[in-house]
Structures are given as structure tokens and as C-alpha cells.
């Protein structure tokens, strides 16, 4: 009966601890009060009551543990328990779709609990145990120590509350003081007296806490006494502890500490904070309390299961070894450590060399000492690698380590295995650097198909490099031979370890076949570790992830699921069907696309802020473009990206394929697909001459190679042999202006006076929008913005698009003066990622960009016509068909299919109401349909004819990009 009663009391104490550690971390609505009011007083009083819990637990643990034997062993086991349990919790959370954006920090907190002060309560107890083994005082001295401790604890009550720095980095020292106090606690004999002191102390602290909102001069000291370090809280906890030890049974300290590990684990708290941010909890005082109770109850159960595991034979053996180690004197412990390290020396050397190779490979992907992970600030590569990419370096180290052990398990040769892996790693690094020098791209799995032409590739490598490689190889072979003869390392694998090493490396490397499967444990783990595949910029991906991880990121790529009914016969049937459709269309058209000049103008992030719910501007920043939309073919385009995905919209406009039809593992066709295909049919095929213009770096999204694959004759970008002649910037913007972009287009129109296709991608309106690049913001300031959205960012973006408006207006006037048919398709690729609206409710609006199609006076005089039917809402893959219709041009069978898709299907896009990075495979792939009223339409509501058309469209896209290419010969 007493044991049951004791267990219940210990459970209540742990709930008391959890209330302090979890509930307030979730920031319930009650905690938002910080003014002089009774609400604030109630909040402080309630919080003050919970803060007694941690102090009480530490004092009680001090009472039961302070005088125990095997103190060194207990410190070691407590630290190991914190390290292992905390790391396991963080790992398990990493395997879930947890949404923790700062996971690397939380896992480091678990891996280094003492150095990072991530568990101050537990660290304080360990410090207290260490202090108790040093301090051995007789009763008079003990009393002096207790008085001194109470004095230290009382000082902050009368001085600045954080005078000892306890609330910042030294809270562990505070808990160590409480632990020592608990070690010198005497059970209460006069229960009424101890109870009276506890009640008086608690009443005093609650009174002070309740009055503080009205006593604080400026509000900054409202929380002065609402801390665990408040000496009145300590007195209350001390008195309660004196009463409880009369009825409590000695606990299992490791169980109590395991509960504390769970409730204070950074990953656990981060997940709970994420849950509290969701609508299901939304910081409700009551719902947050219910969530807290559930979490504490789960922590008690998990800690119980953990203790059950620790009672297993393997765990008891580890504890026995720790006890044996701790029972030795210092000299014996030093010998034991040296013996263990000597035994582990070979593996430690392999691990160290693996880490060096991982670091070197990441650093050598850079050409300077600075790195720019994305558009924005740059960093020192050494600092960046070790402070920001540490977990990925450890992952690469693990992969390399397992390869060495795999070869050792086969060859049983230590130095040979190490040399082979070093040689392979060096070859991999050199190959990456050579490819980067040649094509600004690292090695990719698709390059393995080029092994058959390795001879010609090798011929491109400088002779000096071959001499260096050959010399290094000879030296390495000689060194290995000497080491194996003179300093052999015996590899005596136990049977199960040899089998483990033979299986581990293949399994780890094979895991990359599933890395890009969104929502899977492996995908979640890689995301948590900080892996950023950056498919839109493979070179940056290699620089920030390392070449090995980036290579593996690109293995799990499935282009597209095979649609039902795919066969040669079906594809020929589709070709015949739309050849007839093309004939019917061409009977009513008189022009040829090849005789037209067509300009596809992707305007970076161009969109009307006034379309975003909750956003209203002082005045309209884009009146000329609104007028062009109204008086010409125009409306809104449904983007398949929000805040990113430029090249995906560009790919859709050039090919007519919908990105939503592709597999989730193919988020960026430019870098993952185009180079793999021998033929890439596109609108370029309809013209005798085609150029691309991008007034920025050409390597982003692998454009230099992609445009070549599409058949463009020239690509103008910064650094290209075909120069960007005009280079004007507005105010302090780092990007070339849209005015500059149009000047370069106009130059091309003058230099080539025949029909041509021009693909223009601007950069003026690219993020960031918070650096105050522009001087004149007043005219287009926002009157209101949606909740959480920065008004300053909206103001800057609105100013940017006004400059675009003026540049477009001037450019339209210029082309109207040219006597040949010119048609411009102007469209924004996506909205800037500055709006904090709920994507689930405002998703369609957050994917609406502006577009218009304008034919100059000459084109209109020679058959070009505006049209309005079905133009209110379109998708990028509609533009080929739309420009053919606008220019009154004849179509191919494929363009006839696209015409049917445009005219008969709703606009289609990917993930309109789903959060996710459109440039990675870490997002769910889903096709959403949007009708002319801007409303989502379910696929099930499509008619049979529409579903048949959609199936035809997907079959053709699959055939060309992932299938047998049955229709390719008909596209030439």
C-alpha cells in the first residue's frame, strides 16, 4: 500500500515537473498577457505554482542520491542515459514529418547534452553528484554549507533576478545547489511547522507574483519572480520535500531522469511547439493543457518501456562494465581507457579518414573561400561547412566508413581497403571538379551512361592532371604494400560483425532509391539532417551537400507513372486522331509559326499584390499591364509554384507538358530530365531561329545545357560569349532591370529581321524584398496586408513591378513600330513568397499571376487576332496553343492536342493548396484543376470527353519523356 501511495506521489511530482517544462513552452493564450491586469496576475500565479515542480524533484533526488555509493558510475550512466535516450528520441522524430526547421540544432542538443547545456536540470544533478563525492563535511561544516547555499540562492531575490546568470547559461549550477541542499535535507518531524512554512512561503511568492504587473514600472520586470530560481519557490519545494520523504519509497532515479529527458528534449519540445501552432491547438489555454497532460502521460509510459529495456542482459552488462570502471582508482581507469582506445584505434583511424574525405570533397566543390547557398549573403566555406552542414558531413562520413568496412570484410586487408576507398574518393572528387569546370555541374547518375564514351572524355583531361594522378597512384600502391608488410593490422571479425559490414554499406547506398519519396521516413530524415537537393541548381547542391550526397539525391528519380493503355498502337491512334484535328484547325488558318516572331517573356515573380486576400495597395502599380490584359488576350495564369519554381513554368511554356503529370521525384525537369533525353520536342522546333535571353547567371537550372538541348541557336546571359550588352540597374538593386532585358530583346529583333522565337527570362523582381533596394516606395505602399505579412516587403515588391509596368509599356510601343509580325506572351512565373496567408484556404489566389498575349500592329494587320473565350484562367502549358491561335498560325498534331487541352480542360497546376518547396522532391505531387471562375474543380467532375482528352495528353507526355518514344518520329 505504501509503495502504491509513493508511486502515485512520484507520478504527481513528474506531472508537476512536466507542467513547468512543457505547458509554458507551448505558449498558451493565457501567457500572452503582459500588461498590468488581473489576467496577467492570474497567469503569473498559475505559472509560479508549476515552477515549484522542477525544484521539488531535484531536491528529492538529492535526498535519495547524495549519499549513494558508486557516484562516478551514476554520473556516467546518467550522462549516457541522457545522450542515448535523447538522441533516439530526436532520431525517431526526424523520421516523422515533423516540420522542425531547425532540427540540426535539436539533434546537437541531444548528442552533446552537457556541452550545449540542453538539459540543465539533469546536468545540475550530475554536477551535484560530483560535488557530493568531493565534499565530505562533518555536521557543523554541513550546516555552514547549507547556510552558504541559502545565501547564494537568496541574493537574486534582493538584487537583479539574473545576477548569477542562472536564467541564461548557468541554470545547471542552480540545480546543483538544489541537489546539494536535498542531500542535506532532514525529514520533517514537526509536520505542522514544516507545512506552515511551506504554505507561508508559497503564499508569499504567489502574492508577489500577482502584484508584479502593478509594481513593475515599465513592464520589463513583470516576470522577475516567476522563475524556478525564485528563493521562495525553493523554500516551498524544500519544505514540501521534507514532508514527503516521510511517506515516499526510494525511487529508481534513472526512471525519473528518463522522464525529465523526454520532457526537456529539444526535438520533443519543437514538435509540440509546431503542434501548438496548428489550428487544432492554436494556443488555447485549455487545449494546450490537455496536450500537456497527454504528453506527460506518454513520457511516463515511454520512460517505463525504456527502463524495461535497460533491465535486459545486454544493458546490465554495460552497466556492470561502467561500475567496474568507476570502482578503479585513477591509474586503473587511465589504463582501461588506453586499452580500449588501442583496441578501437583501427576503426577510429578509418572514421577520421572518412570524415576528412567527406569534408575535403565538400570544400573542393568550391572555387573560392566564400559560398553563396542561395541568392543573398555569402559565407566562409570553412565556417559554413562545420557550423551549418555538420550533420550531412557525418552522414557522408558514415557512408564512406561503411564502404571501407565492406571492403575489409571481403579482403581482410586493412591498409588495402583504406587505400582503395581513398583512391575512389579522389577519382570522384577530380571527376566532379573537371565536370564543374567544363559544364558548371557536378557528376550525376545520368553521367554513368557515358562510361561507354569514357575514352573520348579522358582525352579532354589535361595531361598534367594525368601525370599527377599516375604519380599519386604509384606512391599510394607502394605505401600500401609497405604498410601491409611492415605494419599489418589484423582484422579478426566476429561472424555477425562481418555479416553486418557486408550488408550495411549496400543497404545504406541502396536507401537513396527512396530518398525522394515524399513523406517517407527516409525522406523525413534527410530533410531533418539538412539535405537540400537543390535540383534547380545542381552545382549549388554539390557545394552545400557535398558531391556524394548530391549524387545520391539524384538517384531516386522516376519521370512519370505509366498511364493506363499505353502501347504503340494506342500512340499511333492518338497521332492519327490529332492529325485530323490539326487538319480541321488549319483549314481556318493562314499563317505559319516559323514566319512569326514570338517572344515568351517570363517576368520573375510578376503578380498583382491586390489579388492576395488581405492585401490592399495605396494605388495600382501596374496600370499599363492591366490595360494590356483588358484590351488583348489576357487574364490570370495558374502557377505550379509559390515563391519558387521558375524553370518549371518555363519548361511548361516551351514544351506544353504539365509539371503536375510528372512523378514527385522529378520536381525540376530542367536539371533531372532534359539532359537524359536524346530529343526534347518544344516550340523551338516550329522556328528556323531561336534565342534565349536571361540577364543573370546562366548556370541556374542548368539553362546553358537545357537551351542547347531544346535547339536554341544562342543564349545571352552574364558571362556568355553572346554578350548581354545593356546592363542597367535600378537604384541599389543587384539585378539587371527589366528595361535592360527589353533593350537586349530589341537588339535581337534588329539583328535578325526574320521569323524567330525568343525566350526572355527576367530577374529584376527576384527576392529578397527586405533589403530596401529602391528609393521611391511611398506611392505604392500597402494600405493593409494579410496577417503575418511584412508591409515593407509588399511595398518594395510593388515598387519593383511598377518599374516592370513602365518597361513593358515602352517595349510594346517599340515593337509596334516594327514592320513584321511580332507576338509577345508576357506572364509571371509565380508569386513572391512574402505572403503569410493560409495556403489551404487561399491557395488558388496565391498561385494566380498576370499574363497577356499582345500582337503588334503589323501582326494584327496580317491575321493575328485577340480572343477572349477561355482566357480568364489558363496554365503555362496552354501558351503554345494560345500563341498559335492568336497569330492565326497552322498547327502540328501535337499543337492540335494542346489546343484541345487549352479549350476543353480547366487550367491545371501542381499542389495549389499544398505547402512545399517546388524545387525539391520533398513535396506531394497532385494535379489541381481550376476553372474560368478561379474555383478548384475535382477530377471526378470532368466529363467523359474531358477525361479521355486528359488521358491522351498524359499518354503523349509519358511517351516522349519516359516511354518508348513511339510518337517522336511524328514530331519531327
Amino acid at each position: 500500500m505504501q509503495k502504491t501511495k509513493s508511486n502515485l506521489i512520484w507520478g504527481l511530482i513528474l506531472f508537476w515537473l512536466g507542467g513547468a517544462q512543457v505547458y509554458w513552452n507551448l505558449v498558451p493564450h493565457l501567457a500572452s498577457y503582459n500588461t498590468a491586469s488581473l489576467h496577467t496576475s492570474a497567469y503569473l500565479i498559475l505559472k509560479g505554482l508549476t515552477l515549484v515542480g522542477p525544484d521539488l524533484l531535484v531536491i528529492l533526488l538529492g535526498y535519495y542520491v547524495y549519499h549513494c555509493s558508486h557516484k562516478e558510475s551514476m554520473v556516467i550512466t546518467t550522462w549516457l542515459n541522457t545522450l542515448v535516450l535523447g538522441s533516439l528520441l530526436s532520431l525517431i522524430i526526424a523520421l516523422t514529418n515533423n516540420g522542425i526547421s531547425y532540427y540540426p540544432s535539436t539533434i546537437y542538443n541531444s548528442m552533446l547534452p552537457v556541452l550545449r547545456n540542453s538539459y540543465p536540470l539533469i546536468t545540475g544533478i550530475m554536477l551535484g553528484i560530483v560535488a557530493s563525492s568531493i565534499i565530505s563535511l562533518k555536521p557543523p561544516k554541513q550546516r555552514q554549507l547549507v547556510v552558504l547555499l541559502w545565501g547564494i540562492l537568496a541574493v537574486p531575490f534582493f538584487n537583479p533576478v539574473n545576477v548569477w546568470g542562472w536564467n541564461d547559461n548557468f541554470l545547471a549550477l542552480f540545480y546543483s545547489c538544489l541537489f546539494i541542499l536535498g542531500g542535506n535535507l532532514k525529514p520533517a518531524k514537526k509536520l505542522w511547522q514544516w507545512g506552515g512554512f511551506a504554505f507561508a512561503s508559497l503564499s508569499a511568492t504567489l502574492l508577489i507574483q500577482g502584484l508584479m504587473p502593478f509594481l513593475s514600472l515599465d513592464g520589463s520586470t513583470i516576470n522577475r519572480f516567476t522563475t524556478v530560481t525564485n528563493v521562495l519557490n525553493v523554500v516551498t519545494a524544500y519544505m514540501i520535500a521534507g514532508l514527503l520523504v516521510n511517506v515516499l519509497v526510494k525511487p529508481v532515479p534513472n526512471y525519473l531522469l528518463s522522464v525529465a529527458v523526454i520532457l526537456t528534449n529539444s526535438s520533443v519540445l519543437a514538435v509540440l511547439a509546431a503542434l501548438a501552432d496548428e489550428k487544432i491547438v492554436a494556443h488555447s489555454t485549455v487545449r494546450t493543457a490537455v496536450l500537456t497532460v497527454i504528453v506527460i502521460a506518454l513520457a511516463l509510459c515511454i520512460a517505463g518501456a525504456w527502463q524495461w529495456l535497460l533491465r535486459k542482459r545486454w544493458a546490465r552488462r554495460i552497466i556492470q562494465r561502467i561500475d567496474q570502471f568507476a570502482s578503479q582508482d585513477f591509474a586503473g581507469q587511465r589504463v582501461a581507457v588506453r586499452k580500449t582506445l588501442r583496441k578501437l584505434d583501427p576503426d577510429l583511424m578509418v572514421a577520421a579518414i572518412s570524415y576528412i574525405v567527406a569534408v575535403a570533397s565538400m570544400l573542393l566543390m568550391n572555387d573560392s573561400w566564400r559560398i553563396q547557398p542561395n541568392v543573398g549573403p555569402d559565407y566562409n566555406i570553412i565556417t559554413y561547412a562545420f557550423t551549418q552542414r555538420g550533420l550531412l558531413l557525418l552522414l557522408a562520413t558514415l557512408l564512406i566508413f561503411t564502404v571501407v568496412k565492406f571492403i575489409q570484410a571481403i579482403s581482410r586487408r586493412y591498409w588495402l581497403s583504406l587505400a582503395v576507398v581513398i583512391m575512389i574518393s579522389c577519382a570522384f572528387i577530380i571527376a566532379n571538379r573537371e565536370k564543374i569546370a567544363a559544364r558548371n555541374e557536378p557528376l550525376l547518375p545520368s553521367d554513368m551512361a557515358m562510361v561507354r564514351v569514357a575514352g573520348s572524355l579522358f582525352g579532354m583531361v589535361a595531361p598534367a592532371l594525368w601525370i599527377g594522378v599516375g604519380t599519386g597512384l604509384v606512391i599510394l600502391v607502394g605505401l600500401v604494400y609497405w604498410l601491409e608488410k611492415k605494419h599489418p593490422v589484423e582484422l579478426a571479425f566476429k561472424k555477425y560483425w562481418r555479416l553486418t559490414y557486408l550488408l550495411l554499406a549496400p543497404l545504406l547506398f541502396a536507401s537513396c532509391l527512396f530518398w525522394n519519396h515524399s513523406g517517407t521516413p527516409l525522406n523525413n530524415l534527410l530533410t531533418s539532417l539538412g539535405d537540400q537537393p537543390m535540383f534547380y541548381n545542381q552545382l549549388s547542391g554539390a557545394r552545400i551537400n557535398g558531391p556524394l550526397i548530391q549524387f545520391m539525391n539524384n538517384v531516386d528519380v522516376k519521370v512519370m507513372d505509366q498511364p493506363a493503355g499505353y502501347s504503340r498502337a494506342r500512340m499511333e491512334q492518338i497521332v492519327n486522331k490529332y492529325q485530323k484535328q490539326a487538319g480541321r484547325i488549319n483549314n481556318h488558318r493562314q499563317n505559319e509559326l516559323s514566319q512569326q516572331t514570338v517572344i515568351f517573356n517570363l517576368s520573375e515573380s510578376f503578380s498583382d499584390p491586390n489579388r492576395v486576400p488581405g492585401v490592399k495597395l495605396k494605388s495600382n502599380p501596374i496600370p499599363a499591364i492591366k490595360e494590356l490584359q483588358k484590351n488583348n488576350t489576357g487574364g490570370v495564369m495558374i502557377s505550379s509554384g509559390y515563391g519558387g519554381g521558375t524553370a518549371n513554368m518555363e519548361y511548361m511554356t516551351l514544351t506544353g507538358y504539365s509539371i503536375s503529370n510528372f512523378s514527385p521525384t522529378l520536381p525540376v525537369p530542367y536539371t533531372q530530365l532534359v539532359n537524359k533525353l536524346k530529343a526534347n520536342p518544344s516550340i523551338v522546333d516550329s522556328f528556323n531561329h531561336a534565342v534565349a535571353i536571361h540577364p543573370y547567371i546562366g548556370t541556374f537550372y542548368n539553362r546553358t545545357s537545357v537551351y542547347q538541348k531544346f535547339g536554341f541557336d544562342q543564349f545571352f546571359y552574364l558571362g556568355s560569349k553572346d554578350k548581354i550588352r545593356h546592363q542597367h540597374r535600378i537604384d541599389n538593386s543587384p539585378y539587371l532591370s527589366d528595361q535592360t532585358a527589353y533593350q537586349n530583346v530589341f537588339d535581337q529583333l534588329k539583328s535578325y529581321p526574320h521569323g524567330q522565337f525568343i525566350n526572355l527570362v527576367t530577374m529584376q523582381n527576384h527576392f529578397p524584398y527586405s533589403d530596401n533596394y529602391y528609393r521611391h516606395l511611398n506611392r505604392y505602399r500597402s494600405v493593409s496586408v494579410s496577417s503575418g505579412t511584412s508591409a515593407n516587403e509588399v511595398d518594395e515588391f510593388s515598387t519593383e513591378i511598377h518599374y516592370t509596368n513602365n518597361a513593358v509599356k515602352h517595349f510594346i510601343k517599340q515593337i509596334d513600330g516594327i514592320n513584321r509580325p511580332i507576338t509577345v506572351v508576357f506572364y509571371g512565373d509565380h508569386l513572391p513568397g512574402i505572403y503569410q496567408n493560409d495556403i489551404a484556404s487561399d491557395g488558388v489566389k496565391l498561385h494566380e499571376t498576370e499574363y497577356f498575349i499582345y500582337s503588334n500592329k503589323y501582326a494584327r494587320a496580317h491575321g493575328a487576332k485577340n480572343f477572349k473565350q477561355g482566357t480568364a484562367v489558363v496554365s503555362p502549358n496552354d501558351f503554345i496553343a494560345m500563341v498559335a491561335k492568336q497569330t492565326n498560325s497552322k498547327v502540328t498534331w501535337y499543337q492540335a492536342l494542346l489546343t484541345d487541352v487549352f479549350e476543353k480542360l480547366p487550367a491545371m497546376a501542381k499542389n495549389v493548396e499544398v505547402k512545399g518547396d517546388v524545387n525539391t522532391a520533398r513535396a506531394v505531387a497532385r494535379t489541381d484543376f481550376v476553372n474560368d471562375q478561379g474555383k478548384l474543380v475535382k477530377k471526378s467532375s470532368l466529363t467523359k470527353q474531358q477525361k479521355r482528352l486528359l488521358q491522351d495528353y498524359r499518354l503523349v507526355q509519358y511517351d516522349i519523356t519516359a516511354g518508348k518514344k513511339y510518337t517522336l518520329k511524328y514530331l519531327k
Side-chain angles (χ1 to χ4, degrees):
M1 184 67 183
Q2 184 181 5
K3 187 174 181 180
T4 302
K5 182 179 179 182
S6 175
N7 288 339
L8 286 173
I9 294 173
W10 281 116
L12 289 173
I13 292 170
L14 291 173
F15 267 92
W16 204 344
L17 167 76
Q21 299 290 341
V22 176
Y23 185 65
W24 303 112
N25 186 71
L26 298 179
V27 195
H29 178 66
L30 181 68
S32 64
Y33 296 112
N34 55 12
T35 57
S37 66
L38 292 177
H39 287 296
T40 308
S41 295
Y43 151 61
L44 294 175
I45 289 171
L46 179 60
K47 186 174 182 180
L49 276 170
T50 64
L51 293 181
V52 177
D55 293 351
L56 177 60
L57 179 66
V58 175
I59 291 171
L60 286 171
L61 279 171
Y63 177 82
Y64 288 107
V65 176
Y66 190 83
H67 299 289
C68 73
S69 57
H70 303 296
K71 290 181 178 179
E72 288 183 47
S73 176
M74 186 165 188
V75 170
I76 295 172
T77 53
T78 299
W79 171 74
L80 276 176
N81 184 68
T82 306
L83 170 67
V84 175
L85 179 57
S87 298
L88 281 174
L89 282 170
S90 295
L91 178 62
I92 291 168
I93 288 170
L95 293 170
T96 66
N97 191 8
N98 52 69
I100 303 177
S101 59
Y102 47 94
Y103 179 82
S105 176
T106 67
I107 187 65
Y108 283 138
N109 287 345
S110 297
M111 292 167 62
L112 305 167
V114 176
L115 290 178
R116 292 178 67 89
N117 194 32
S118 48
Y119 297 91
L121 186 147
I122 297 170
T123 303
I125 290 171
M126 288 192 288
L127 290 174
I129 296 171
V130 172
S132 69
S133 64
I134 298 172
I135 302 171
S136 181
L137 302 174
K138 294 182 179 180
K141 296 290 185 179
Q142 285 180 346
R143 284 194 295 272
Q144 292 175 11
L145 174 63
V146 171
V147 171
L148 175 63
L149 288 175
W150 279 114
I152 292 171
L153 293 170
V155 166
F157 188 84
F158 303 101
N159 287 281
V161 68
N162 203 26
V163 66
W164 304 127
W166 281 339
N167 291 350
D168 296 324
N169 299 317
F170 302 106
L171 191 59
L173 294 178
F174 166 76
Y175 283 125
S176 66
C177 292
L178 295 196
F179 183 86
I180 296 170
L181 275 182
N184 291 277
L185 174 70
K186 305 296 180 185
K189 294 182 179 177
K190 298 180 180 179
L191 300 183
W192 64 270
Q193 190 176 35
W194 281 71
F197 271 120
F199 179 77
S201 177
L202 182 61
S203 299
T205 190
L206 294 181
L207 177 63
I208 293 172
Q209 289 162 353
L211 291 175
M212 278 308 295
F214 304 98
L215 299 178
S216 179
L217 295 176
D218 58 2
S220 62
T221 57
I222 284 178
N223 291 288
R224 176 187 172 103
F225 299 106
T226 313
T227 65
V228 291
T229 60
N230 178 1
V231 69
L232 292 177
N233 278 349
V234 177
V235 171
T236 303
Y238 189 82
M239 295 299 168
I240 294 174
L243 293 168
L244 290 179
V245 294
N246 291 304
V247 294
L248 288 174
V249 175
K250 184 176 180 179
V252 179
N254 202 40
Y255 173 76
L256 301 178
L257 294 174
S258 295
V259 175
V261 168
I262 297 167
L263 294 178
T264 56
N265 179 269
S266 297
S267 293
V268 172
L269 294 177
V271 169
L272 293 176
L275 283 175
D277 284 335
E278 298 294 333
K279 288 185 176 181
I280 190 171
V281 176
H283 300 289
S284 160
T285 299
V286 176
R287 287 197 292 266
T288 303
V290 172
L291 178 61
T292 300
V293 171
I294 293 171
V295 169
I296 297 170
L298 284 173
L300 297 179
C301 296
I302 293 169
W306 180 246
Q307 292 308 302
W308 175 80
L309 279 175
L310 294 181
R311 287 194 292 270
K312 295 298 182 181
R313 185 183 302 171
W314 60 270
R316 290 204 308 271
R317 280 203 301 265
I318 294 173
I319 295 171
Q320 287 170 2
R321 289 178 183 176
I322 293 172
D323 289 339
Q324 290 170 4
F325 172 80
S327 64
Q328 301 177 76
D329 58 20
F330 180 71
Q333 291 174 349
R334 187 174 59 184
V335 170
V337 169
R338 189 180 300 161
K339 184 178 178 181
T340 302
L341 288 176
R342 190 179 297 117
K343 185 178 179 181
L344 294 174
D345 266 349
D347 284 344
L348 290 175
M349 179 179 286
V350 171
I353 291 175
S354 299
Y355 187 74
I356 291 170
V357 170
V359 172
S361 64
M362 179 180 286
L363 298 181
L364 287 171
M365 293 302 100
N366 295 272
D367 295 323
S368 71
W369 292 102
R370 308 294 296 179
I371 185 171
Q372 191 173 37
N374 212 319
V375 178
D378 60 1
Y379 306 93
N380 178 278
I381 59 171
I382 304 293
T383 304
Y384 181 77
F386 289 109
T387 62
Q388 302 297 315
R389 315 305 289 163
L391 291 179
L392 279 186
L393 286 175
L394 291 178
L395 175 60
T397 300
L398 174 63
L399 291 167
I400 297 167
F401 178 86
T402 59
V403 173
V404 177
K405 300 306 293 183
F406 176 80
I407 299 174
Q408 285 181 358
I410 293 174
S411 67
R412 294 183 179 272
R413 296 280 185 175
Y414 179 82
W415 297 112
L416 175 65
S417 303
L418 202 53
V420 167
V421 172
I422 291 173
M423 185 174 65
I424 293 172
S425 299
C426 289
F428 185 65
I429 292 170
I430 292 170
N432 269 282
R433 285 192 61 83
E434 287 297 304
K435 190 183 176 193
I436 289 169
R439 291 178 51 189
N440 288 300
E441 184 182 73
L443 280 181
L444 299 172
S446 57
D447 295 321
M448 297 302 101
M450 300 180 72
V451 170
R452 61 181 180 274
V453 292
S456 60
L457 293 176
F458 289 158
M460 300 167 64
V461 179
L465 181 59
W466 280 120
I467 293 171
V469 169
T471 303
L473 188 59
V474 170
I475 293 172
L476 186 62
V477 170
L479 181 61
V480 169
Y481 180 79
W482 180 76
L483 288 170
E484 289 288 0
K485 286 290 185 181
K486 300 296 184 181
H487 300 280
V489 177
E490 185 179 352
L491 295 174
F493 290 108
K494 291 182 179 179
K495 186 175 180 180
Y496 58 86
W497 274 115
R498 187 163 185 250
L499 180 62
T500 299
Y501 289 134
L502 286 172
L503 294 175
L504 187 58
L507 286 174
L508 284 177
F509 278 89
S511 71
C512 68
L513 294 169
F514 308 96
W515 282 13
N516 292 335
H517 285 54
S518 181
T520 61
L522 275 173
N523 181 269
N524 295 331
L525 177 62
L526 267 292
T527 303
S528 296
L529 293 179
D531 180 25
Q532 301 175 38
M534 295 189 76
F535 296 120
Y536 66 97
N537 189 339
Q538 297 284 2
L539 178 55
S540 287
R543 286 173 171 170
I544 69 170
N545 300 319
L548 176 60
I549 301 299
Q550 185 65 11
F551 183 92
M552 296 174 71
N553 279 331
N554 283 275
V555 171
D556 180 18
V557 176
K558 181 180 182 181
V559 176
M560 188 174 170
D561 291 327
Q562 180 175 306
Y566 177 69
S567 67
R568 180 189 294 271
R570 178 69 189 279
M571 298 315 300
E572 290 179 349
Q573 185 184 52
I574 289 174
V575 172
N576 291 332
K577 175 181 177 181
Y578 291 99
Q579 282 176 338
K580 293 176 182 177
Q581 176 69 354
R584 288 190 288 270
I585 293 172
N586 294 339
N587 285 334
H588 304 283
R589 297 193 182 176
Q590 63 189 45
N591 293 328
E592 298 288 341
L593 264 180
S594 61
Q595 303 303 312
Q596 306 289 314
T597 292
V598 174
I599 303 168
F600 276 10
N601 175 197
L602 183 157
S603 184
E604 172 62 41
S605 299
F606 193 90
S607 53
D608 184 1
N610 284 308
R611 289 192 189 278
V612 179
V615 176
K616 184 179 180 182
L617 302 183
K618 183 178 178 181
S619 55
N620 178 16
I622 51 173
I625 289 177
K626 287 292 186 181
E627 193 69 18
L628 285 164
Q629 286 177 286
K630 179 182 177 183
N631 296 329
N632 298 276
T633 305
V636 297
M637 185 198 85
I638 300 298
S639 172
S640 286
Y642 170 70
T646 298
N648 289 348
M649 306 312 110
E650 189 181 352
Y651 178 83
M652 291 171 72
T653 63
L654 296 178
T655 64
Y657 304 139
S658 175
I659 194 77
S660 65
N661 289 334
F662 287 130
S663 161
T665 63
L666 188 87
V668 186
Y670 263 26
T671 61
Q672 296 176 282
L673 176 64
V674 174
N675 276 334
K676 290 182 178 181
L677 300 177
K678 291 182 179 180
N680 287 275
S682 71
I683 190 174
V684 174
D685 299 334
S686 296
F687 295 85
N688 298 320
H689 185 73
V691 299
I693 300 173
H694 180 43
Y696 194 60
I697 302 167
T699 54
F700 269 82
Y701 291 108
N702 201 24
R703 283 192 175 96
T704 51
S705 177
V706 166
Y707 288 153
Q708 192 175 23
K709 281 281 192 177
F710 277 142
F712 283 92
D713 298 288
Q714 292 174 286
F715 177 25
F716 297 84
Y717 62 94
L718 293 181
S720 63
K721 64 178 181 179
D722 299 309
K723 302 297 182 184
I724 295 285
R725 289 181 53 201
H726 308 279
Q727 297 192 16
H728 172 71
R729 292 174 174 83
I730 302 172
D731 298 338
N732 298 320
S733 174
Y735 305 118
L736 295 182
S737 69
D738 284 356
Q739 176 190 352
T740 285
Y742 293 126
Q743 283 176 321
N744 284 281
V745 171
F746 197 70
D747 286 349
Q748 179 60 29
L749 292 174
K750 289 190 294 183
S751 67
Y752 191 85
H754 309 291
Q756 63 175 316
F757 177 72
I758 299 175
N759 188 58
L760 170 66
V761 180
T762 68
M763 274 297 287
Q764 175 189 291
N765 302 329
H766 201 281
F767 80 90
Y769 309 101
S770 57
D771 289 356
N772 300 315
Y773 291 144
Y774 299 93
R775 301 190 189 108
H776 308 292
L777 298 175
N778 289 329
R779 187 173 178 184
Y780 304 104
R781 286 199 181 278
S782 51
V783 176
S784 62
V785 295
S786 52
S787 177
T789 299
S790 167
N792 289 334
E793 290 186 329
V794 174
D795 295 346
E796 179 144 328
F797 175 72
S798 300
T799 303
E800 290 178 1
I801 62 174
H802 177 66
Y803 284 117
T804 299
N805 176 84
N806 294 342
V808 169
K809 182 179 179 181
H810 180 68
F811 182 63
I812 293 296
K813 287 183 179 179
Q814 283 183 304
I815 65 172
D816 264 340
I818 299 176
N819 288 325
R820 66 176 184 270
I822 301 174
T823 297
V824 177
V825 178
F826 174 95
Y827 66 99
D829 55 340
H830 55 74
L831 275 74
I834 58 177
Y835 307 109
Q836 301 304 310
N837 299 58
D838 182 7
I839 198 99
S841 57
D842 298 333
V844 173
K845 290 296 181 183
L846 292 179
H847 288 78
E848 290 182 348
T849 69
E850 311 304 307
Y851 92 91
F852 67 81
I853 302 177
Y854 179 83
S855 295
N856 70 346
K857 291 179 180 178
Y858 187 94
R860 295 198 301 274
H862 292 78
K865 297 178 183 178
N866 296 323
F867 59 98
K868 291 295 181 181
Q869 186 175 358
T871 62
V873 180
V874 303
S875 48
N877 50 294
D878 292 327
F879 288 147
I880 294 176
M882 293 179 72
V883 79
K885 185 173 183 178
Q886 171 107 356
T887 59
N888 198 22
S889 296
K890 299 179 189 293
V891 296
T892 65
W893 71 266
Y894 175 61
Q895 291 165 349
L897 168 62
L898 293 181
T899 302
D900 271 8
V901 169
F902 158 61
E903 293 179 344
K904 299 175 182 177
L905 287 178
M908 60 184 74
K910 174 182 175 182
N911 299 342
V912 170
E913 293 185 340
V914 179
K915 289 183 179 180
D917 185 349
V918 294
N919 290 319
T920 77
R922 308 281 155 84
V924 177
R926 185 182 76 189
T927 300
D928 291 320
F929 298 93
V930 184
N931 63 19
D932 276 351
Q933 289 73 47
K935 303 296 183 183
L936 282 175
V937 176
K938 292 183 179 180
K939 182 183 175 182
S940 58
S941 67
L942 299 179
T943 65
K944 287 183 179 180
Q945 291 77 11
Q946 286 177 315
K947 290 178 180 177
R948 191 177 300 116
L949 172 60
L950 180 62
Q951 185 71 355
D952 289 348
Y953 176 55
R954 286 176 171 168
L955 280 165
V956 172
Q957 182 170 335
Y958 174 81
D959 180 58
I960 295 298
T961 61
K964 301 292 186 179
K965 317 291 188 290
Y966 297 130
T967 60
L968 187 59
K969 61 183 179 181
Y970 301 104
L971 290 169
K972 295 179 180 178

